[in-house]
Amino acid sequence: MLSRGGAAIPVAQKVQPPEKSGLPDWDAAHLRLAIEAAGVALWSWNVDTNRFTMDERAFELWGVPLCEYVSFEDLSANIHPADRDRVKAAFAATRALVGAYEIDFRVMVGEEVRWISARGQGDDAGIVGRIMYGIFIDVTGRKQAEEGHELLAGEMSHRVKNLLAIATGLTAITSRSATTTADMAQELTHRLTALGRAHDLVRPLPGHSGKAALLGDLLTVLLAPYDDMGAFSGRVRVSVPRMGVGEQAATTLALVVHELATNSLKYGALSSPEGVLDISCAPHDTEVTVVWTESGGPPVQALTGDGGYGSKLLNRGMTVQLGGSISCDWNPEGVIVTLKMTKDRLTR
């Protein structure tokens, strides 16, 4: 007999290994050592009275006080509300099951949530005097890992859907603004490449700050192709404080920066060997302001009308996705673009 916490569970006194196996004899003490080493908790269930007898490890796992017997209703009070009815129905059905069964469920121990796996034999196999036997195992670690994998899979699926939607929208916008198929292919490739660079920078920041790119890294990488084009080398200057940009905001900001850089390359400072682009940032408690300043390029003319699809893309990204605004100062010496973003949107 094994006895802990007033619980008595019959166990074979001695199990003889097959002849000539070379294995030692196993007795009750050996089995107890193996059970404790494996972290297995023992239980017995009187199918007539619905009473459970458990060893000390089982009481610890459930977070209930030691006693000689505990009813199924007493244990049910500790089962997570979302699992309670399912577990009751599953235990009631175990007697009709043929072969081994396994039921995984959550229990509440104070504020802690634990996952328990209850295992036994169905169809009254091994029942002794109306009492069935089985084990509990703490599977919290495995369940948390599974939940983490499910969250990651869901996140990846969500990201892929978002990227496909963005790519579809960019294709439609580019097809309307491009004059030739070659121009369309080039502009679309640049936009998609900008998205790819932004996502390459999305990574965990120190201190568990969540997935984000550093604003300075994001701007530098996105503008590097324009800075490396011969005479433009060293003419793009980024000076911003250290702050994170969330995954969603990084995608939107990449499109905004690419649109501004493309316009500058066509009509502004980056179209001239003497042109200079300065990007600075002034963070506040609830708002972040990025100032895009061009100088040394050709004379600037103010935009007339509602602007093209690029302008609509900029406005939509800044107002809808980043909860801010975009304004332009058409200074003859070079355009000054002010991007205002809500701080909590920027870190999403």
Side-chain angles (χ1 to χ4, degrees):
M1 302 286 287
L2 293 181
S3 177
R4 294 185 73 175
I9 300 175
V11 175
Q13 292 299 309
K14 195 169 188 179
V15 179
Q16 293 289 350
E19 293 183 4
K20 299 181 181 179
S21 66
L23 296 175
D25 293 345
W26 293 83
D27 58 21
H30 296 145
L31 293 177
R32 169 57 66 183
L33 290 173
I35 288 170
E36 290 181 350
V40 173
L42 306 177
W43 58 263
S44 67
W45 173 31
N46 188 309
V47 297
D48 293 330
T49 65
N50 234 12
R51 285 184 171 180
F52 274 81
T53 301
M54 306 190 301
D55 67 359
E56 289 181 16
R57 186 180 294 276
F59 280 98
E60 292 172 1
L61 182 58
W62 281 85
V64 296
L66 282 169
C67 58
E68 185 176 359
Y69 296 106
V70 61
S71 69
F72 190 85
E73 286 69 26
D74 293 335
L75 292 179
S76 295
N78 283 41
I79 299 176
H80 193 286
D83 296 344
R84 193 169 296 153
D85 291 340
R86 175 177 63 84
V87 174
K88 287 182 178 180
F91 259 99
T94 55
R95 297 192 61 196
L97 295 175
V98 177
Y101 63 81
E102 178 178 344
I103 307 168
D104 294 350
F105 53 90
R106 292 164 292 180
V107 298
M108 305 294 297
V109 182
E111 298 296 324
E112 181 186 1
V113 177
R114 296 176 184 171
W115 276 95
I116 294 178
S117 180
R119 304 176 185 182
Q121 289 285 337
D123 197 31
D124 287 352
I127 193 169
V128 179
R130 309 299 292 167
I131 296 177
M132 300 181 70
Y133 300 91
I135 64 170
F136 293 129
I137 299 178
D138 187 343
V139 293
T140 304
R142 173 169 63 84
K143 287 295 184 178
Q144 289 175 343
E146 291 175 358
E147 290 173 356
H149 292 156
E150 290 176 1
L151 287 173
L152 180 60
E155 179 184 345
M156 292 301 296
S157 175
H158 181 70
R159 183 185 298 187
V160 169
K161 289 179 180 178
N162 282 348
L163 286 176
L164 290 175
I166 291 172
T168 301
L170 288 179
T171 302
I173 290 173
T174 308
S175 67
R176 296 167 187 163
S177 60
T179 56
T180 66
T181 56
D183 288 342
M184 176 181 170
Q186 185 178 28
E187 289 183 20
L188 184 59
T189 300
H190 285 167
R191 285 190 170 107
L192 294 176
T193 301
L195 286 176
R197 293 196 190 100
H199 279 275
D200 286 341
L201 287 172
V202 176
R203 62 187 186 275
L205 287 177
H208 306 285
S209 302
K211 290 184 176 179
L214 290 175
L215 179 60
D217 290 348
L218 181 66
L219 295 172
T220 300
V221 170
L222 291 174
L223 294 171
Y226 307 100
D227 199 31
D228 291 341
M229 296 176 65
F232 301 150
S233 180
R235 299 190 183 278
V236 177
R237 301 179 297 213
V238 178
S239 177
V240 298
R242 183 182 179 88
M243 67 176 67
V245 179
E247 180 180 2
Q248 296 179 21
T251 300
T252 303
L253 199 57
L255 289 173
V256 171
V257 170
H258 171 73
E259 201 65 39
L260 291 175
T262 301
N263 291 337
S264 180
L265 186 61
K266 289 181 178 179
Y267 317 111
L270 294 183
S271 67
S272 170
E274 294 79 21
V276 175
L277 171 61
D278 284 291
I279 301 176
S280 59
C281 177
H284 301 284
D285 292 339
T286 59
E287 189 178 67
V288 175
T289 302
V290 174
V291 181
W292 174 291
T293 304
E294 299 185 21
S295 60
V300 173
Q301 295 182 354
L303 183 67
T304 58
D306 295 333
Y309 288 100
S311 298
K312 294 178 181 178
L313 181 68
L314 287 174
N315 284 307
R316 185 166 60 249
M318 291 303 302
T319 57
V320 177
Q321 274 81 29
L322 297 178
S325 63
I326 178 171
S327 61
C328 298
D329 178 6
W330 302 101
N331 190 314
E333 296 181 358
V335 66
I336 301 175
V337 182
T338 302
L339 307 173
K340 292 185 178 181
M341 296 158 279
T342 306
K343 201 166 187 177
D344 64 341
R345 292 280 189 94
L346 188 63
T347 57
R348 289 182 184 178

